[in-house]
Every structure is written in C-alpha cells, then in structure tokens.
Amino acid sequence: MENTIKHAILDNATALLGTTVDASMIQFQKTRKDFAGDTTLVLFPLVKLAGTSPQQLGERIGTFLKDEQQLVTDFSVIGGFLNLVYPTSHWLDTLRSIDGDTRFGMQPAGSKPAIMVEYSSPNTNKPLHLGHLRNNFLGYSVAEILKAYGHDVVKTQIINDRGIHICKSMLAWRDFSPLNEKGERETPANTGMKGDKLVGKYYVEFDKRFNAEAKTIMERWANGDFEGFDKTTIDKYVEFSAALEGKDEKAQAGIQDKIKELAKNATNILREAKDLLVRWEGRDPEVYLLWTTMNGWVYEGFNETYAKMGVDFDRLYYESETFILGKDLVNEGLEKGVFYRKDDGSVWIDLTGDKLDHKLLLRSDGTSVYMTQDLGTAVDRFNDYPNLSGIIYTVGNEQDYHFKVLFLILKKLGYSWADACFHLSYGMVDLPSGKMKSREGTVVDADDLMDEVIESAREMTSERGHLEGMTEEEKETLFRTIGMGGLKYFLLKVDPKKRMLFDPAESIELNGHTGPFIQYAHARIQSLLTKAGTIEAYDNTELEQSEIEIVKQLADYPKVIEEAALSYSPAVIANYTYELVKLYNQFYQSVNINQEADAAKRAMRLTLSRNVAKVIASSMGCLGITVPDRM
RNA sequence: GGUCCCGUAGCUCAGCUGGAUAGAGCACCUGCCUUCUAAGCAGGCGGUCUUUGGUUCGAAUCCAAACGGGAUCACCA
C-alpha cells in the first residue's frame, strides 16, 4: 500500500511538488497512536523542494491521494506529518491474504544459501549452567529464524572434549575417587549421579587439591624452604618478594597474584595433569581409555539436558578430532611465514600490524591451544559443507578478542570465507547477587533451574484450574511447556548483545511481559475456535479500530522475521509477538467474537483470531517455545 | 594502561538505518468476572534518555570528550 502511494506521488511529482524527486525522499513512518491514520508521510524532506509550508503541501498531497487517486479515505495534516487512512477493504483484503497463507511470514525453504549455526559448545569437565541456557536458546532460536527466512541451516557445536581441563578431572577421579566394597571407583551407574555432574565434581576436587598444594608451597617459600624447586622458579620468587617492599596495597596484591601463579605452576598435581595431556596427545592407551570413559558419562548427562532444553544438533564436531587439522594448519602457516617459532619451540603469530598482540598457537611442549583447534574446526566445516555461505558462532562476548583474532588468522592463511564467519556475541547473564562465579558457588545449574521453573509452573497452573479432563501425561507436558516457555522467553526477550540480569522470581512470573502471557492468549483463542466450529465465509463488513490494529500488526510479521534474521535477534520476534498479544487482548476484551450476532462480523473476528493464533504459534516456534491449546 | 561493549521511570527492559507529547512489564494505587479462559482489560503514579559539546529544520538515536559500570589483553578455555 505504501508502495502504491509512493509511486502515485513520484509519478505526479511535477504537479504536486513542482519538481521530480528521488524515491528516498518519500518517507513513511508508523502513525502515532493518538492520531487517526494507517500510515504517515513525513513532509519535511519534501517541504524544501516544494517551497510551500508543510500544511499546504500536506493538504495538496492528501487531496490528491484521496480525491484523484482514491487510495485513501481520509487524511489529516499535523505539523510536518500527513496521516493517511486506508479504506476498510484494504484491511479485509490483507486479512484474507494472510489467512490463505499457511506458512505466512516464512520464505520458501532453501530459497537462501546454507548457513551453519554453532551454539552450546561446552567443555566436558563441568555441567551446563545458566549461561549455557542463554547460549543454547539463543543459538537454537537464531537457527530457527534463519530457517524461517529461507536458509538451509546446519546446527552444530564444537565439543571441547580435550585439553588440560579434562585431564584435571581425569586425574582427580583416578587418584582421589573412593573405592566401593566391590573395589570400583565412583561411576554414574554405581552412584546414580548424572555423568556430567560426577565429572564436574572431580574437576572441583582437582581445583581444591591444586589450591591446597599451591598454598603449602607458598608457606614453604615464605619460610625460606626452597628444597626441590628449580632455579628459575626460586629466582623469580626472590625477585617478586623483593618487589613487595614499599609498594601500595594494590601493587602488592598484584605481585601476590604472580607469586601464587608461580606456586601453582610448581605443584606436582599440575605437572601430572600436564603429563596426562602430553600422553593423551601421544594416544597413550591407558589415558585414552580413561578419557573415553569419562567423556562418555558427560555426553549422557548433556544429552539429557539438551532434551529437556528442547535443542538439537545436525552435526557434532569434537576438538579431539579437529585439533589435528589445526596442528597441520599451524605447520602450513609456518611454511608460509604467517607464523613464527620461538627458541623454546612455541609457535606464535604477530598481529601487531593489525593493532593486536602476539598470539600463541602451539605450546613449547607441542600441545595445542584453543586457537589451534578452532582453526582446524573452521576449515573442517567448510570442507564438510562446501556450499556453506557462512558460520555463526554463538559465543559469549568475553571471547570477542578471540574471534577477532581467529577470523583474522583464517584470512591471513588465505581462506576467503573468513569474512563470512560471524561471532554472535551475547552478553553475560548476571544474578541479583552479582556475577556467577564457580569459585563462590553462585553458578546456577541448568538442570536445577529447568526443574525449578517446571515445578513452579506445576504449582501455579494447578492453582488456577483449567486442568479438568486432562490426563496426567497431558498435565506434565503442559507444566513443561509453560515452565520452559517462561524461561526461554525470559532469556530471549532481551537483545542478545546486552548483558542481562536474571531474576529467578521474575523468570517464573506468569503475568505481564512473559512467555505464559503469550501462551495464555493462544490457549484462549484455541478454546474460542473449538467452540466456534467451522468459520463461515464472509464478504464485507465494518472494522473496529482494534481490529485494524491487529491486521496491521499481523501484516508486519514477514518484515519482523527478516529483521530478526538479519540482526540475529530473537528479541525482535519476542517483542513483536508481545505487542500482537496485547492488541489481541484489548480486542478480545472489548468486543464479542463467538457471540457476535452479525454473521459477517463473527466470521471475520474468528478469522482474525485464527490468524493471531497462527502467528503466535509460528513466532514462538522461532524462539523454540511451544504454545498449548489450553492452559 | 591499550582495545572493545554498555549507561533510557524505584527495578527489568523496548525504542537507536535521526522525525510528532520517550514506551512496556514489575512494584505501588483505583476500577472491571450472572457473557467467548481475570495467566486478562481499563485507568493513575513514575523521566535532566549519565554529563558536556558538535552535526541537523529536527538528536534518546549520529560524532567527540568526560564520568560511571563491565569484558579482554595467559604456554586457560
């Protein structure tokens, strides 16, 4: 409609404005709620050209559109704005066309190139937490949005299944797990613990012992006992403790940290963990068996958590596989002269020319680091999916620097697709008590949180009734739908880029700007439609303003999908649907629908309701949220 | 310290490709269930859009600086 108006003005520009104008000068915006109108033409850009007052110009264009072109039924000029009113038939036609499109808002599948979306990417040494929930819901949702926008999507994750961290858990379990009466160490089977939780427990155990040993070492050093430490360590300690003299508190704390680091590096337990890593990279059978066993436990635990989250993956990548290619790439880079080797054998890249630092790619003991395997993973993926138009990495913004460097290195290695890699950088999730810190035990466990929101949905839903005649199974499904819907909506309604506050009390709220608010609207409509039976055909009827507002909002849906897809932002869709539901609730409360006496009005209102439900279900689907038919 | 991100109502967030009197939710107050699900609706209260400059007919929105908060700069991931 706006396009038709725009062209009408452009085609008659000489008559209206006295000169031809560029299409960019015809600017529309949404009409403010307090004025009548369906769209608003901004007159300011045209005023200068026409050389008349905004008022006169508005009158002239308005009259032209109304009387000559009969595109609008009414108009008003307020300030520099021309508010235009569309004929009712336009809205009826719009609703009819939306109603006829079962996939309304979505582009044809496969109409856009393939994209890979990476999300989750956990370490296998600890269970998933609240931060992973934001990550998983976000990644899954972006994948769904891109699908709706017409892309083929490959959902993936990189599983950080190797490295020093998992060696720490392995060591702690091997050396410190108590034996039961059968002489077995703790396993998920004999303890009933979830696999990822059990392995996480031993990671914590390692950390405890590690810190204790470091503390002992610092005490020994403080007492002048340097028996058994190598000379460089002792020299450094002497240097640091001398530096403590005469410094202010802050500087002293900094130096103390360095001493602690020194002590940590001198521990036997860390040396043993490092030794495990070297043996693992050398494929030592004993270490490998321990590793596959413990990772197996973790995967079982993760799969359970993913199932509850309602996320899935099309393809998995394991660092234990991709790091090998990563190492090859490092050698390739050395030959090309992109990287350089230090005397101690470690490999680096100099990025000072790009205003970044020197970055490590291979340790002096030859083992690989995060960057090494990420290089391998990226190349692997483009080898596996040559038609990929890009990879989206859903990773926290604490790793902004890492990805900047990663993409830059890929480019320097000559991979032209490096530019098509995008870091979907999302903000941290804070708690009312502040940051989540594993050391302080303030980490919110993903499984626990999901259980809590479902439990809370159970209580609150049972209180409200509406459950008559449902089987136990149906009730359980409903509680899960509401609990998880609320949690997902809470985490997705905020702009991904922004840091957000997670208030547990607010996340289980059912009123206001929440997932259950939207789900409830859907359930009410379904109830209405069930009672209504077949909707009769209708031809012409008057429209209330509240009905027009809803049709307008519905008509925006395809643009909203596009905007969400281009900005990788589920929040755009979350807020859109909330607006739609608010408009619908106003309408629902102010007119009769099923009980309307006028047959045409009743049919139109039911059709409108049906399409609101359709868009609610579709848009919530893009967020990974299911909507119930009753609640 | 270098680099990057953020600052809108008491709280949590929209609005940011420049346009009219800056919007929601929560909290607090007042109404509305003998009619389609009140997890709802209507209304009230609440703002120096951190500050100061600049660009512009017009700035919460763009630019610069200051202040405040966060992240990152590891042979951690």
Short mmCIF file of all heavy atoms in Angstrom, two decimals, chain A residues 457-504:
data_model
loop_
_atom_site.label_atom_id
_atom_site.label_comp_id
_atom_site.label_asym_id
_atom_site.label_seq_id
_atom_site.Cartn_x
_atom_site.Cartn_y
_atom_site.Cartn_z
N ALA A 457 5.72 -23.92 37.56
CA ALA A 457 4.59 -23.91 36.61
C ALA A 457 3.53 -24.90 37.07
O ALA A 457 2.33 -24.63 36.98
CB ALA A 457 5.07 -24.27 35.21
N ARG A 458 3.97 -26.02 37.61
CA ARG A 458 3.04 -27.03 38.11
C ARG A 458 2.17 -26.45 39.21
O ARG A 458 0.94 -26.52 39.17
CB ARG A 458 3.82 -28.23 38.64
CG ARG A 458 2.95 -29.34 39.23
CD ARG A 458 3.78 -30.31 40.08
NE ARG A 458 5.03 -30.68 39.42
CZ ARG A 458 5.12 -31.60 38.47
NH1 ARG A 458 4.05 -32.24 38.09
NH2 ARG A 458 6.27 -31.86 37.91
N GLU A 459 2.81 -25.82 40.17
CA GLU A 459 2.08 -25.26 41.31
C GLU A 459 1.09 -24.19 40.87
O GLU A 459 -0.08 -24.22 41.21
CB GLU A 459 3.05 -24.66 42.33
CG GLU A 459 3.82 -25.70 43.11
CD GLU A 459 5.01 -25.10 43.85
OE1 GLU A 459 5.02 -23.86 44.03
OE2 GLU A 459 5.92 -25.87 44.21
N MET A 460 1.60 -23.24 40.10
CA MET A 460 0.76 -22.11 39.74
C MET A 460 -0.37 -22.50 38.81
O MET A 460 -1.47 -21.97 38.89
CB MET A 460 1.62 -21.01 39.11
CG MET A 460 2.60 -20.44 40.13
SD MET A 460 3.92 -19.48 39.36
CE MET A 460 3.64 -17.91 40.14
N THR A 461 -0.10 -23.44 37.91
CA THR A 461 -1.13 -23.87 36.98
C THR A 461 -2.20 -24.68 37.70
O THR A 461 -3.40 -24.54 37.45
CB THR A 461 -0.51 -24.69 35.84
OG1 THR A 461 0.48 -23.90 35.21
CG2 THR A 461 -1.55 -25.08 34.81
N SER A 462 -1.78 -25.51 38.63
CA SER A 462 -2.74 -26.31 39.38
C SER A 462 -3.66 -25.40 40.18
O SER A 462 -4.86 -25.65 40.28
CB SER A 462 -2.01 -27.27 40.32
OG SER A 462 -1.10 -28.06 39.60
N GLU A 463 -3.10 -24.35 40.74
CA GLU A 463 -3.88 -23.38 41.50
C GLU A 463 -5.00 -22.77 40.66
O GLU A 463 -6.09 -22.53 41.14
CB GLU A 463 -2.95 -22.23 41.91
CG GLU A 463 -2.73 -22.07 43.39
CD GLU A 463 -1.68 -21.01 43.63
OE1 GLU A 463 -1.87 -19.89 43.13
OE2 GLU A 463 -0.64 -21.34 44.26
N ARG A 464 -4.67 -22.46 39.40
CA ARG A 464 -5.62 -21.74 38.56
C ARG A 464 -6.68 -22.61 37.91
O ARG A 464 -7.61 -22.11 37.29
CB ARG A 464 -4.86 -20.99 37.45
CG ARG A 464 -4.26 -19.73 37.99
CD ARG A 464 -3.20 -19.18 37.07
NE ARG A 464 -2.10 -18.69 37.90
CZ ARG A 464 -1.85 -17.41 38.09
NH1 ARG A 464 -2.56 -16.50 37.51
NH2 ARG A 464 -0.86 -17.04 38.87
N GLY A 465 -6.53 -23.95 38.03
CA GLY A 465 -7.54 -24.80 37.40
C GLY A 465 -7.34 -24.92 35.91
O GLY A 465 -6.20 -24.92 35.45
N HIS A 466 -8.42 -25.01 35.16
CA HIS A 466 -8.36 -25.22 33.70
C HIS A 466 -7.73 -26.55 33.34
O HIS A 466 -7.21 -26.72 32.25
CB HIS A 466 -7.56 -24.12 32.98
CG HIS A 466 -8.03 -22.74 33.28
ND1 HIS A 466 -7.23 -21.65 33.19
CD2 HIS A 466 -9.23 -22.27 33.68
CE1 HIS A 466 -7.89 -20.57 33.52
NE2 HIS A 466 -9.12 -20.92 33.83
N LEU A 467 -7.69 -27.49 34.29
CA LEU A 467 -7.00 -28.74 34.00
C LEU A 467 -7.97 -29.91 33.92
O LEU A 467 -7.56 -31.05 33.71
CB LEU A 467 -5.96 -29.03 35.11
CG LEU A 467 -4.78 -28.08 35.20
CD1 LEU A 467 -3.92 -28.42 36.41
CD2 LEU A 467 -3.95 -28.14 33.94
N GLU A 468 -9.27 -29.63 34.06
CA GLU A 468 -10.26 -30.71 34.10
C GLU A 468 -10.16 -31.56 32.84
O GLU A 468 -10.05 -31.05 31.74
CB GLU A 468 -11.70 -30.16 34.20
CG GLU A 468 -11.91 -29.03 35.20
CD GLU A 468 -11.43 -27.70 34.66
OE1 GLU A 468 -11.74 -27.39 33.50
OE2 GLU A 468 -10.71 -26.98 35.39
N GLY A 469 -10.22 -32.86 33.08
CA GLY A 469 -10.28 -33.78 31.94
C GLY A 469 -8.95 -34.06 31.28
O GLY A 469 -8.89 -34.76 30.28
N MET A 470 -7.87 -33.50 31.82
CA MET A 470 -6.57 -33.77 31.21
C MET A 470 -5.95 -35.00 31.87
O MET A 470 -6.07 -35.19 33.08
CB MET A 470 -5.62 -32.58 31.39
CG MET A 470 -6.00 -31.38 30.54
SD MET A 470 -4.93 -29.95 30.87
CE MET A 470 -3.59 -30.27 29.74
N THR A 471 -5.27 -35.80 31.08
CA THR A 471 -4.57 -36.95 31.65
C THR A 471 -3.32 -36.46 32.37
O THR A 471 -2.87 -35.33 32.14
CB THR A 471 -4.12 -37.94 30.55
OG1 THR A 471 -3.14 -37.29 29.74
CG2 THR A 471 -5.31 -38.37 29.69
N GLU A 472 -2.77 -37.31 33.23
CA GLU A 472 -1.55 -36.94 33.96
C GLU A 472 -0.44 -36.57 32.99
O GLU A 472 0.30 -35.62 33.20
CB GLU A 472 -1.09 -38.09 34.85
CG GLU A 472 -1.92 -38.24 36.13
CD GLU A 472 -2.05 -36.94 36.91
OE1 GLU A 472 -1.01 -36.30 37.17
OE2 GLU A 472 -3.19 -36.54 37.23
N GLU A 473 -0.36 -37.31 31.91
CA GLU A 473 0.68 -37.10 30.93
C GLU A 473 0.51 -35.72 30.27
O GLU A 473 1.48 -34.99 30.09
CB GLU A 473 0.62 -38.22 29.89
CG GLU A 473 1.92 -38.42 29.15
CD GLU A 473 1.76 -39.46 28.04
OE1 GLU A 473 0.89 -40.34 28.16
OE2 GLU A 473 2.50 -39.35 27.04
N GLU A 474 -0.74 -35.40 29.95
CA GLU A 474 -1.02 -34.12 29.32
C GLU A 474 -0.68 -32.98 30.27
O GLU A 474 -0.14 -31.94 29.88
CB GLU A 474 -2.49 -34.02 28.91
CG GLU A 474 -2.82 -34.83 27.67
CD GLU A 474 -4.32 -34.96 27.43
OE1 GLU A 474 -5.10 -34.84 28.40
OE2 GLU A 474 -4.70 -35.19 26.28
N LYS A 475 -0.98 -33.19 31.54
CA LYS A 475 -0.66 -32.16 32.54
C LYS A 475 0.85 -31.95 32.62
O LYS A 475 1.33 -30.82 32.64
CB LYS A 475 -1.19 -32.57 33.91
CG LYS A 475 -2.69 -32.40 34.07
CD LYS A 475 -3.09 -32.74 35.50
CE LYS A 475 -4.60 -32.97 35.61
NZ LYS A 475 -4.97 -33.50 36.92
N GLU A 476 1.58 -33.04 32.68
CA GLU A 476 3.05 -32.94 32.76
C GLU A 476 3.59 -32.17 31.56
O GLU A 476 4.46 -31.31 31.70
CB GLU A 476 3.69 -34.33 32.82
CG GLU A 476 3.58 -35.01 34.18
CD GLU A 476 4.03 -34.12 35.32
OE1 GLU A 476 5.13 -33.55 35.24
OE2 GLU A 476 3.26 -33.96 36.31
N THR A 477 3.08 -32.51 30.39
CA THR A 477 3.52 -31.82 29.18
C THR A 477 3.22 -30.33 29.29
O THR A 477 4.04 -29.48 28.94
CB THR A 477 2.80 -32.40 27.94
OG1 THR A 477 3.01 -33.79 27.93
CG2 THR A 477 3.35 -31.78 26.66
N LEU A 478 2.03 -30.02 29.82
CA LEU A 478 1.64 -28.61 29.95
C LEU A 478 2.56 -27.87 30.92
O LEU A 478 3.00 -26.76 30.64
CB LEU A 478 0.18 -28.52 30.43
CG LEU A 478 -0.34 -27.11 30.64
CD1 LEU A 478 -0.33 -26.33 29.32
CD2 LEU A 478 -1.76 -27.13 31.21
N PHE A 479 2.87 -28.49 32.05
CA PHE A 479 3.75 -27.83 33.03
C PHE A 479 5.12 -27.56 32.41
O PHE A 479 5.71 -26.50 32.60
CB PHE A 479 3.92 -28.69 34.28
CG PHE A 479 2.63 -29.02 34.97
CD1 PHE A 479 2.45 -30.23 35.65
CD2 PHE A 479 1.56 -28.12 34.95
CE1 PHE A 479 1.26 -30.53 36.28
CE2 PHE A 479 0.35 -28.41 35.59
CZ PHE A 479 0.20 -29.62 36.24
N ARG A 480 5.58 -28.52 31.65
CA ARG A 480 6.88 -28.34 31.00
C ARG A 480 6.81 -27.23 29.95
O ARG A 480 7.69 -26.39 29.85
CB ARG A 480 7.31 -29.66 30.33
CG ARG A 480 8.70 -30.06 30.73
CD ARG A 480 9.28 -31.28 30.05
NE ARG A 480 8.43 -32.05 29.19
CZ ARG A 480 7.80 -33.17 29.55
NH1 ARG A 480 7.92 -33.62 30.78
NH2 ARG A 480 7.07 -33.84 28.68
N THR A 481 5.70 -27.23 29.21
CA THR A 481 5.52 -26.22 28.17
C THR A 481 5.53 -24.82 28.78
O THR A 481 6.18 -23.91 28.27
CB THR A 481 4.18 -26.45 27.43
OG1 THR A 481 4.22 -27.74 26.83
CG2 THR A 481 3.95 -25.39 26.37
N ILE A 482 4.80 -24.67 29.88
CA ILE A 482 4.70 -23.35 30.50
C ILE A 482 6.01 -22.96 31.18
O ILE A 482 6.51 -21.84 31.00
CB ILE A 482 3.54 -23.31 31.51
CG1 ILE A 482 2.20 -23.53 30.79
CG2 ILE A 482 3.52 -21.99 32.27
CD1 ILE A 482 1.02 -23.69 31.72
N GLY A 483 6.57 -23.88 31.94
CA GLY A 483 7.81 -23.57 32.65
C GLY A 483 8.94 -23.22 31.70
O GLY A 483 9.60 -22.19 31.84
N MET A 484 9.13 -24.07 30.71
CA MET A 484 10.22 -23.84 29.75
C MET A 484 9.92 -22.64 28.86
O MET A 484 10.83 -21.89 28.49
CB MET A 484 10.46 -25.09 28.89
CG MET A 484 11.06 -26.26 29.64
SD MET A 484 12.61 -25.84 30.46
CE MET A 484 13.67 -25.54 29.06
N GLY A 485 8.65 -22.46 28.52
CA GLY A 485 8.27 -21.31 27.70
C GLY A 485 8.60 -20.01 28.43
O GLY A 485 9.13 -19.07 27.84
N GLY A 486 8.29 -19.99 29.71
CA GLY A 486 8.58 -18.80 30.51
C GLY A 486 10.07 -18.54 30.58
O GLY A 486 10.53 -17.40 30.40
N LEU A 487 10.83 -19.58 30.83
CA LEU A 487 12.28 -19.44 30.96
C LEU A 487 12.91 -18.99 29.64
O LEU A 487 13.73 -18.07 29.60
CB LEU A 487 12.88 -20.78 31.40
CG LEU A 487 14.38 -20.82 31.62
CD1 LEU A 487 14.80 -19.85 32.72
CD2 LEU A 487 14.85 -22.23 31.98
N LYS A 488 12.51 -19.64 28.57
CA LYS A 488 13.08 -19.28 27.26
C LYS A 488 12.73 -17.83 26.90
O LYS A 488 13.58 -17.08 26.45
CB LYS A 488 12.55 -20.22 26.18
CG LYS A 488 13.15 -21.60 26.24
CD LYS A 488 12.68 -22.46 25.08
CE LYS A 488 13.23 -23.88 25.26
NZ LYS A 488 12.84 -24.78 24.16
N TYR A 489 11.46 -17.49 27.12
CA TYR A 489 11.04 -16.14 26.76
C TYR A 489 11.82 -15.12 27.57
O TYR A 489 12.27 -14.09 27.05
CB TYR A 489 9.53 -15.96 26.96
CG TYR A 489 9.03 -14.69 26.32
CD1 TYR A 489 8.66 -14.66 24.99
CD2 TYR A 489 8.98 -13.50 27.05
CE1 TYR A 489 8.24 -13.49 24.38
CE2 TYR A 489 8.56 -12.32 26.45
CZ TYR A 489 8.19 -12.32 25.12
OH TYR A 489 7.80 -11.16 24.52
N PHE A 490 11.98 -15.42 28.84
CA PHE A 490 12.71 -14.50 29.72
C PHE A 490 14.13 -14.25 29.22
O PHE A 490 14.62 -13.12 29.21
CB PHE A 490 12.75 -15.07 31.14
CG PHE A 490 13.33 -14.12 32.15
CD1 PHE A 490 12.53 -13.16 32.74
CD2 PHE A 490 14.67 -14.16 32.48
CE1 PHE A 490 13.05 -12.27 33.66
CE2 PHE A 490 15.21 -13.26 33.40
CZ PHE A 490 14.40 -12.32 33.98
N LEU A 491 14.78 -15.31 28.76
CA LEU A 491 16.17 -15.18 28.32
C LEU A 491 16.28 -14.63 26.90
O LEU A 491 17.32 -14.08 26.53
CB LEU A 491 16.88 -16.54 28.41
CG LEU A 491 17.17 -17.01 29.83
CD1 LEU A 491 17.66 -18.46 29.82
CD2 LEU A 491 18.20 -16.12 30.52
N LEU A 492 15.22 -14.79 26.11
CA LEU A 492 15.32 -14.37 24.71
C LEU A 492 14.74 -12.99 24.42
O LEU A 492 14.98 -12.42 23.37
CB LEU A 492 14.62 -15.40 23.81
CG LEU A 492 15.33 -16.74 23.69
CD1 LEU A 492 14.49 -17.73 22.89
CD2 LEU A 492 16.71 -16.58 23.04
N LYS A 493 13.96 -12.45 25.37
CA LYS A 493 13.31 -11.18 25.06
C LYS A 493 14.29 -10.00 25.13
O LYS A 493 13.98 -8.91 24.66
CB LYS A 493 12.12 -10.94 26.00
CG LYS A 493 12.48 -10.58 27.42
CD LYS A 493 11.24 -10.24 28.23
CE LYS A 493 11.61 -10.04 29.69
NZ LYS A 493 10.45 -9.79 30.54
N VAL A 494 15.44 -10.23 25.71
CA VAL A 494 16.44 -9.18 25.80
C VAL A 494 17.39 -9.26 24.60
O VAL A 494 17.78 -10.35 24.18
CB VAL A 494 17.26 -9.33 27.10
CG1 VAL A 494 18.31 -8.24 27.20
CG2 VAL A 494 16.34 -9.31 28.30
N ASP A 495 17.73 -8.13 24.06
CA ASP A 495 18.71 -8.03 22.98
C ASP A 495 19.94 -8.87 23.32
O ASP A 495 20.58 -8.66 24.34
CB ASP A 495 19.11 -6.55 22.82
CG ASP A 495 20.09 -6.34 21.69
OD1 ASP A 495 20.66 -7.34 21.19
OD2 ASP A 495 20.28 -5.19 21.30
N PRO A 496 20.26 -9.86 22.46
CA PRO A 496 21.36 -10.78 22.78
C PRO A 496 22.67 -10.07 23.12
O PRO A 496 23.44 -10.54 23.96
CB PRO A 496 21.54 -11.59 21.50
CG PRO A 496 20.36 -11.36 20.66
CD PRO A 496 19.66 -10.14 21.15
N LYS A 497 22.92 -8.98 22.46
CA LYS A 497 24.21 -8.30 22.65
C LYS A 497 24.37 -7.78 24.08
O LYS A 497 25.47 -7.56 24.55
CB LYS A 497 24.32 -7.11 21.69
CG LYS A 497 24.45 -7.53 20.25
CD LYS A 497 24.93 -6.38 19.37
CE LYS A 497 23.91 -5.27 19.23
NZ LYS A 497 22.73 -5.63 18.41
N LYS A 498 23.23 -7.54 24.72
CA LYS A 498 23.30 -6.88 26.01
C LYS A 498 23.46 -7.85 27.17
O LYS A 498 22.89 -8.92 27.19
CB LYS A 498 22.04 -6.03 26.22
CG LYS A 498 22.05 -4.81 25.35
CD LYS A 498 20.97 -3.85 25.77
CE LYS A 498 21.08 -2.56 24.96
NZ LYS A 498 19.87 -1.76 25.07
N ARG A 499 24.22 -7.41 28.11
CA ARG A 499 24.35 -8.09 29.37
C ARG A 499 22.96 -8.09 30.01
O ARG A 499 22.22 -7.13 29.88
CB ARG A 499 25.31 -7.25 30.20
CG ARG A 499 25.81 -7.88 31.42
CD ARG A 499 26.74 -6.93 32.15
NE ARG A 499 27.32 -7.68 33.21
CZ ARG A 499 28.44 -8.37 33.10
NH1 ARG A 499 29.14 -8.30 32.00
NH2 ARG A 499 28.88 -9.09 34.10
N MET A 500 22.58 -9.15 30.69
CA MET A 500 21.25 -9.14 31.29
C MET A 500 21.24 -9.66 32.71
O MET A 500 22.14 -10.37 33.14
CB MET A 500 20.27 -9.95 30.43
CG MET A 500 20.50 -11.45 30.49
SD MET A 500 19.18 -12.35 29.63
CE MET A 500 17.81 -12.07 30.72
N LEU A 501 20.20 -9.26 33.41
CA LEU A 501 20.05 -9.68 34.79
C LEU A 501 19.03 -10.80 34.85
O LEU A 501 17.92 -10.66 34.33
CB LEU A 501 19.58 -8.50 35.65
CG LEU A 501 19.49 -8.82 37.13
CD1 LEU A 501 20.84 -8.70 37.79
CD2 LEU A 501 18.49 -7.89 37.80
N PHE A 502 19.40 -11.90 35.45
CA PHE A 502 18.47 -13.00 35.62
C PHE A 502 17.92 -12.99 37.03
O PHE A 502 18.62 -13.29 37.99
CB PHE A 502 19.16 -14.34 35.35
CG PHE A 502 18.21 -15.49 35.46
CD1 PHE A 502 17.39 -15.82 34.39
CD2 PHE A 502 18.10 -16.23 36.63
CE1 PHE A 502 16.49 -16.86 34.49
CE2 PHE A 502 17.20 -17.27 36.73
CZ PHE A 502 16.39 -17.59 35.66
N ASP A 503 16.64 -12.60 37.12
CA ASP A 503 15.98 -12.61 38.42
C ASP A 503 15.10 -13.85 38.48
O ASP A 503 14.10 -13.95 37.78
CB ASP A 503 15.13 -11.34 38.56
CG ASP A 503 14.51 -11.23 39.95
OD1 ASP A 503 14.49 -12.24 40.66
OD2 ASP A 503 14.06 -10.14 40.30
N PRO A 504 15.47 -14.81 39.33
CA PRO A 504 14.74 -16.08 39.37
C PRO A 504 13.25 -15.88 39.61
O PRO A 504 12.43 -16.55 38.99
CB PRO A 504 15.38 -16.82 40.55
CG PRO A 504 16.70 -16.19 40.74
CD PRO A 504 16.56 -14.76 40.31
#
